[in-house]
Amino acid sequence: MPATRWLPSLLLIAALPVLAHAEGPAYGPELQGFDYPYTVKHFAFESQGKSLQMGYMDVAANGKANGRSVVLMHGKNFCGATWDSSIKALSDAGYRVIAPDQIGFCTSSKPDHYQYTFQQLATNTQQLLKALGIQKATLLGHSTGGMLATRYALQYPEQVEQLALVNPIGLEDWKALGVPYRTVDQWYERELKVSADGIREYERSTYYAGRWKPEYDRWVDMLAGLSKGPGKTQVAWNSALIYDMIFTQPVYYEFKDLKVPTLLLIGTSDTTAIGKDIAPPALKTQIGKYDVLGKQVAKLIPHSTLIEFPGLGHAPQMEEPAKFHQALLGWLNKDNPVR
């Protein structure tokens, strides 16, 4: 990669203020300047010969604690902050809530060289939970976080009480179906061109079935501001590596091996599929059909429950939070393992 790509990072040790920009705010490489709904702490650890830090929120139960913890795993185009309404709902219901930003995302480190695997991200998260004294937890994973939560449950089954997946990607193996491969360099060039307008239009058409709510603009600004800030090249490069991980490391074939009670929460109007934009026309119409995928994968997972949200898209917890959290909490309480 060009040597000049890393020059801006030399000035980014301290927290950065929001930078003025004609098309909205720009944020630091670890999302400095963007307001999170709860205090962000940082977990420092060593990984692959590097000193890294994971940003995370640790929110105590509000009211009577039930002694249980829920770990929230965000998606590719999301951050821990986008779980704001879910954190409140779970905390109000008595849960301790941990919402980390994975390495390469949001408030966490974006290393110049890192071997991204779901196993590595699961290991990082497990180290965080160990440091926080959490021996067993329920996992709630959204989008790419659903792939990570699945990998975590496969890797550490004895440490997972329950697994809940919100419109997880990876319910199909795109490369096996014939979606063309993008190289990391191709992903990098694509990510360098990210804009607020492009993010908004992609999410409107893919995530929300053509609909849009004004409150979504905050999350568009979050992503766009991170991508056009002084850490732009770091952000784009890590994003490219992460897309390669998502495309090349399917969890689809291992759903049958899950041993924990699993809930699928599926907005049926979602059409998300990695690489869909470059898929052959005939294939493009066949992938990312969550109204079909949810039912198919529910049959693969041994101890599964499927709850569908007809007409909702990729993020039902953000589209209809009251309806979503009623369904989630009902299942968490009903399927509470014997402690």
Side-chain angles (χ1 to χ4, degrees):
M1 304 306 300
T4 55
R5 192 163 61 82
W6 305 115
L7 291 180
S9 66
L10 299 177
L11 304 175
L12 299 173
I13 297 175
L16 301 178
V18 179
L19 304 177
H21 195 283
E23 297 176 0
Y27 300 113
E30 294 179 2
L31 208 47
Q32 294 95 334
F34 184 84
D35 291 329
Y36 266 49
Y38 300 90
T39 300
V40 176
K41 303 176 183 179
H42 287 90
F43 171 59
F45 67 106
E46 296 289 322
S47 175
Q48 300 183 21
K50 299 180 183 298
S51 297
L52 303 175
Q53 62 175 11
M54 288 178 68
Y56 69 96
M57 293 175 284
D58 183 356
V59 181
N62 181 25
K64 185 178 180 180
N66 61 18
R68 302 173 66 195
S69 299
V70 179
V71 179
L72 309 183
M73 296 182 172
H74 62 78
K76 172 67 179 67
N77 293 326
F78 300 82
C79 292
T82 54
W83 284 113
D84 57 350
S85 66
S86 295
I87 294 173
K88 184 179 187 306
L90 288 162
S91 174
D92 288 348
Y95 294 89
R96 178 184 180 182
V97 185
I98 313 298
D101 285 333
Q102 297 298 325
I103 293 300
F105 295 85
C106 311
T107 64
S108 295
S109 298
K110 296 168 184 67
D112 50 0
H113 299 289
Y114 201 66
Q115 180 64 47
Y116 278 101
T117 67
F118 284 112
Q119 286 90 341
Q120 179 68 70
L121 298 185
T123 300
N124 297 348
T125 306
Q126 194 269 346
Q127 290 181 28
L128 168 64
L129 298 184
K130 183 178 180 181
L132 295 176
I134 298 173
Q135 298 179 342
K136 203 163 189 177
T138 289
L139 306 182
L140 178 61
H142 172 233
S143 191
T144 297
M147 292 183 78
L148 174 56
T150 299
R151 177 57 59 202
Y152 192 108
L154 291 165
Q155 196 163 323
Y156 303 108
E158 71 286 352
Q159 297 177 27
V160 178
E161 286 187 339
Q162 300 158 295
L163 174 65
L165 307 175
V166 188
N167 281 74
I169 61 172
L171 298 183
E172 55 194 342
D173 181 354
W174 309 289
K175 61 182 174 57
L177 293 170
V179 174
Y181 175 71
R182 268 193 178 107
T183 66
V184 171
D185 289 330
Q186 288 171 329
W187 277 117
Y188 175 60
E189 292 301 322
R190 180 179 181 269
E191 291 302 283
L192 284 174
K193 300 173 184 176
V194 163
S195 68
D197 287 343
I199 293 169
R200 186 178 295 104
E201 184 51 38
Y202 168 77
E203 294 188 356
R204 185 202 309 271
S205 62
T206 304
Y207 289 179
Y208 303 117
R211 301 182 300 271
W212 194 256
K213 294 182 179 179
E215 53 263 38
Y216 302 159
D217 285 320
R218 168 171 161 78
W219 310 123
V220 170
D221 287 342
M222 175 187 72
L223 289 180
L226 186 62
S227 294
K228 69 190 175 192
K232 175 178 181 175
T233 53
Q234 290 170 278
V235 171
W237 183 245
N238 278 265
S239 182
L241 295 175
I242 290 164
Y243 270 123
D244 190 72
M245 172 187 72
I246 294 168
F247 190 80
T248 62
Q249 299 177 29
V251 296
Y252 174 78
Y253 305 102
E254 296 167 86
F255 283 126
K256 62 181 176 52
D257 299 323
L258 286 169
K259 295 178 170 59
V260 299
T262 302
L263 174 65
L264 286 162
L265 296 145
I266 304 295
T268 62
S269 291
D270 188 8
T271 60
T272 304
I274 301 299
K276 190 175 186 178
D277 57 316
I278 57 173
L283 179 59
K284 189 176 297 189
T285 63
Q286 297 302 313
I287 57 177
K289 301 177 72 169
Y290 276 76
D291 56 337
V292 175
L293 293 171
K295 296 179 179 68
Q296 289 179 345
V297 172
K299 294 177 181 177
L300 299 177
I301 299 174
H303 309 289
S304 70
T305 300
L306 172 64
I307 297 178
E308 294 184 314
F309 299 96
L312 296 189
H314 190 60
Q317 78 277 21
M318 296 163 68
E319 281 193 275
E320 296 288 349
K323 182 186 298 185
F324 173 86
H325 294 122
Q326 181 181 19
L328 172 65
L329 290 168
W331 181 82
L332 290 179
N333 295 330
K334 177 182 176 182
D335 288 271
N336 181 17
V338 178
R339 297 179 64 85

